[in-house]
Amino acid sequence: MISSRAIRKTTTIKFDNKIVDKQTVLEASKTWEPKHEALFMKLLKQGGKFTANGVIVEVIPVEQVLTSRGEKDGGIITSDPLARF
């Protein structure tokens, strides 16, 4: 069974293209097989979709760009190409 703490507020979860709340996901996960639970936990981090008990489950996490240090990426550094001359 999936715990309520595993699902973050910022993650969007859809059942058959309808956005559902956390409680609905927890109730539905009680009937899932262990392989579906493991896949759902993986998709919470990276996003994607799968089918469980005839229902298409789609997970859309918030996009975050992090560096290897786990910090938010600063973006592309822009510089003047003629500055070195």
Side-chain angles (χ1 to χ4, degrees), residues 16-65:
D16 290 329
N17 291 325
K18 295 180 183 176
I19 297 175
V20 294
D21 61 342
K22 185 188 290 191
Q23 194 61 34
T24 307
V25 175
L26 295 176
E27 290 295 320
S29 70
K30 292 178 183 177
T31 62
W32 291 350
E33 295 178 23
K35 65 180 181 179
H36 292 139
E37 290 181 20
L39 182 59
F40 182 77
M41 295 301 289
K42 183 177 180 180
L43 293 181
L44 281 174
K45 295 177 184 173
Q46 68 183 27
K49 63 172 107 173
F50 69 100
T51 303
N53 299 337
V55 178
I56 299 172
V57 179
E58 184 175 2
V59 181
I60 306 167
V62 173
E63 299 244 352
Q64 294 184 18
V65 178

